[in-house]
Amino acid sequence: MARVYVEGYGCSANMAHEEAMKGALIKRGHELSSLGNAEYAVINTCIVKAATESQMKKRIRELSGKKLIIAGCMPKAQEGVVRSLAPNASLLGSFSSFFIADAVSRMEKGECVSLMDRQAVYPEEKLRTNKFINVCEISHGCVDSCSYCATKLAKGHLKSFPSLKITKDVNDSLKSGCKEIWLASQDNACFGQDSGESLASLVDSVCSINGDFRVRVGMMTPSGVIKNIDGMLEMFNNKKVYKFLHVPVQSGSNRILSEMKRMYTREEFVSMVMEFRKKYPEINVWTDVITGYPGETDEDFEETLDVLKAISADYAHVSRFSPMKGTLASRLVQLDSGESRERSRIATRLCEALTFEQNSKSVGEKSRVLVTERGREENQLMGKNESYKQVVFEGPQELMGAFCNVRITEAGLSHLKAELI
Ligand code: SF4
């Protein structure tokens, strides 16, 4: 039995990995422990952009005093970098994190393990970060090859997990008290393209399980939604599905979108979002934009700002372009960093104004909130309304994990304030 410390970074899919790794370690009789007491340290890495990559490198150096296991996206996408940083560490490719218990057992015998290409299996055990939320990774990888994306180097081509396994996991988790289901992956829209299943049929089978719970459909590439717009629109019609649409546009310029190898135009993107807004006026639209992509002109950037305004983005994550090792875009002539920093600042300011404008529309409305977290202050609760907007209000702790009715009293940038009714 080993004492193991696990630390994770990145997207919901990576979070699902971390929960699965912890579950697998406990099942094998290992003990999860604080860093100070641990013999082994596991870091579940993310390399979505350069700033995160530098943070990973720093953390790997800091943890190298322990028997180290490096998992997540970095080992597969940047093996050479990782080996030079931590020559004695054991490496788990993104698929292989579920074999963490084997890795620890072999390290206990003095081996340095490298598991890069094991076939992904749907995790049997999970140790949830939040006991009310079941994060289900429904597939690995995707069907696109965006020019800037390092995740593709780690996760590769699409591998969907069987709907039956996912639905059984959801059913079991509801029986053990979960109330919120996250369907997570690099791109939910392409789920089942490799197995003859579809996201709409998966959501249908999950929602047909009896019980009062909600389902969050995670990030989807716009091209995948556009290709199957009728099915996607219908999928959100189920009362259990949060009216939440996360579709990263990345740029508003058709020239830059084509350079990025994103398979849609600005016009197609805007019209797709507006179809959702027409059918679900309460829908909460999230997107992502990259500023400073190589070759981006002032006009291209203006077009990105125009798209954000055209869809009235409820939230947009702005990131400055960073050339990730091994990607096509890293070989292009880079923009002046001052220029891209300034564009990122302008875009962020616009996004905050749009978020506040959108959130202000909810003031005075009644909402049914699912409470999943305690707030920072005493007697403060946090949860999500029907549109997956964060709502904060005062209430008794007994409401944790329950649905309750509130009236929205105030709008903020990161959440709505409310009172119980
Ligand atoms: S869709 Fe594009 S950005 Fe998303 S994981 Fe795939 S290659 Fe990367």
Side-chain angles (χ1 to χ4, degrees), residues 43-108:
I43 177 168
N44 192 29
T45 58
C46 166
I47 44 159
V48 70
K49 52 187 179 184
T52 325
E53 184 192 303
S54 319
Q55 191 192 358
M56 295 303 107
K57 288 178 180 170
K58 179 169 174 286
R59 203 62 192 125
I60 288 170
R61 288 192 200 95
E62 288 166 355
L63 292 171
S64 52
K66 298 281 177 188
K67 293 174 190 156
L68 188 56
I69 301 169
I70 305 174
C73 286
M74 207 168 175
K76 181 87 178 166
Q78 300 181 0
E79 187 169 350
V81 172
V82 172
R83 287 213 177 286
S84 64
L85 277 169
N88 304 322
S90 289
L91 305 187
L92 299 184
S94 171
F95 273 9
S96 316
S97 46
F98 308 140
F99 301 95
I100 182 116
D102 299 340
V104 171
S105 307
R106 287 168 58 185
M107 289 171 81
E108 285 183 306

Side-chain angles (χ1 to χ4, degrees), residues 142 144-146 148-149 151-152 186 221 262:
C142 68
D144 291 306
S145 302
C146 305
Y148 52 83
C149 180
T151 311
K152 182 75 183 185
Q186 275 64 58
T221 56
R262 298 286 281 175

Side-chain angles (χ1 to χ4, degrees), residues 150-283:
T151 311
K152 182 75 183 185
L153 305 175
K155 305 255 182 178
H157 195 68
L158 174 67
K159 156 110 179 116
S160 303
F161 289 120
S163 284
L164 275 180
K165 285 224 180 230
I166 300 165
T167 312
K168 178 181 178 310
D169 175 24
V170 170
N171 200 21
D172 295 347
S173 72
L174 294 171
K175 285 185 189 139
S176 69
C178 280
K179 287 281 184 182
E180 188 169 288
I181 308 298
W182 293 4
L183 303 181
S185 69
Q186 275 64 58
D187 172 19
N188 284 331
C190 64
F191 173 79
Q193 283 184 23
D194 59 326
S195 60
E197 303 195 278
S198 75
L199 181 64
S201 66
L202 172 64
V203 169
D204 207 34
S205 55
V206 164
C207 291
S208 62
I209 301 170
N210 281 336
D212 200 2
F213 62 95
R214 287 194 176 143
V215 177
R216 183 189 88 167
V217 176
M219 195 160 54
M220 298 190 282
T221 56
S223 50
V225 180
I226 292 161
K227 234 183 290 173
N228 177 23
I229 186 75
D230 296 338
M232 292 286 180
L233 281 166
E234 199 41 42
M235 184 178 76
F236 280 81
N237 206 14
N238 191 298
K239 229 164 93 346
K240 289 179 178 162
V241 178
Y242 279 117
K243 303 300 173 275
F244 168 71
L245 180 71
H246 185 182
V247 276
V249 66
Q250 305 300 16
S251 173
S253 152
N254 287 340
R255 189 178 64 79
I256 295 290
L257 285 173
S258 144
E259 302 251 333
M260 287 177 166
K261 299 191 183 315
R262 298 286 281 175
M263 304 311 195
Y264 51 86
T265 64
R266 166 186 67 244
E267 293 77 9
E268 288 168 333
F269 176 79
V270 173
S271 112
M272 175 266 287
V273 173
M274 299 325 280
E275 280 212 55
F276 274 89
R277 284 214 181 281
K278 194 161 134 233
K279 187 167 170 74
Y280 306 107
E282 75 280 25
I283 199 141

Side-chain angles (χ1 to χ4, degrees), residues 275-325:
E275 280 212 55
F276 274 89
R277 284 214 181 281
K278 194 161 134 233
K279 187 167 170 74
Y280 306 107
E282 75 280 25
I283 199 141
N284 176 9
V285 178
W286 284 21
T287 192
D288 302 66
V289 293
I290 295 175
T291 63
Y293 187 83
E296 184 188 63
T297 62
D298 288 344
E299 293 70 33
D300 295 324
F301 177 58
E302 283 306 318
E303 288 177 325
T304 298
L305 300 180
D306 291 345
V307 162
L308 292 169
K309 290 177 211 161
I311 66 166
S312 307
D314 292 83
Y315 173 76
H317 179 75
V318 178
S319 47
R320 277 176 48 207
F321 172 78
S322 44
M324 297 305 290
K325 197 175 163 54

